[in-house]
Amino acid sequence: MSHPLVGQPAPDFRMTDTHGRVVSSEDLAGTAYLLVFVPFAFSDTCTNELIDLRAADDLLARDGLRVIVVSCDSIYTLKAWADTHSYKADLLSDFWPHGEVSRQYGVFNPHKGLAGRGSFLVDAAGVVRWAIVNPEGEARDVAEYRGAIEDLLG
């Protein structure tokens, strides 16, 4: 079943990265991007997913694509996680207003205060072209990203 955002303009966002810089969807205009929402950086499943993503050099270094991880963790927690795991890709905080971007993408769990495991591939024109949302505790497979990105970017 397709996610309701597929085929729609991606929701606008402004979030802060682990260096305190604001990153917005406006900054990404003209570039395809993969938004990967994770519940909390230091949880086992999230850590394993992000380590698998870190190892996917073919995705992280792909021309015309930016991979962005989003969590409701604070920038300080995300920075500590990035430093601990030598993670260089973008980590953005959806901490305040708490879960605002996660809500826009339909993956925020208000009962637990976290983002669900949703991933969204947005084309250079700002349209969501692919999405996957996994059940709680179920990791996503990097191979699924590769397939969607190949379909979009060739």
Side-chain angles (χ1 to χ4, degrees):
M1 185 172 170
S2 181
H3 190 279
L5 283 178
V6 173
Q8 302 298 314
D12 291 332
F13 64 80
R14 290 176 55 81
M15 293 179 281
T16 306
D17 72 9
T18 56
H19 304 287
R21 298 176 296 226
V22 173
V23 176
S24 72
S25 50
E26 185 177 293
D27 298 334
L28 300 171
T31 302
Y33 55 95
L34 176 67
L35 280 181
V36 178
F37 289 89
V38 296
F40 293 120
F42 280 98
S43 70
D44 290 341
T45 304
C46 292
T47 295
N48 292 334
E49 278 190 305
L50 295 180
I51 288 172
D52 288 348
L53 192 55
R54 179 189 65 195
D57 292 332
D58 58 317
L59 299 181
L60 296 176
R62 178 147 188 167
D63 288 336
L65 177 71
R66 191 154 164 193
V67 177
I68 301 168
V69 175
V70 177
S71 170
C72 291
D73 289 306
S74 72
I75 60 170
Y76 309 106
T77 300
L78 292 175
K79 175 125 178 58
W81 188 92
D83 291 348
T84 299
H85 295 282
S86 302
Y87 197 82
K88 305 292 185 227
D90 292 307
L91 291 171
L92 302 183
S93 174
D94 191 17
F95 182 73
W96 198 257
H98 193 71
E100 179 178 279
V101 177
S102 303
R103 289 173 207 271
Q104 292 175 332
Y105 279 83
V107 296
F108 187 73
N109 181 330
H111 303 292
K112 294 187 175 184
L114 53 80
R117 294 181 196 290
S119 299
F120 301 84
L121 182 59
V122 179
D123 69 15
V127 175
V128 177
R129 294 296 173 192
W130 174 86
I132 186 169
V133 178
N134 280 15
E136 188 175 325
E138 186 179 309
R140 289 155 289 189
D141 187 346
V142 172
E144 292 181 272
Y145 298 148
R146 286 189 178 100
I149 291 165
E150 187 62 30
D151 287 347
L152 180 65
L153 300 178

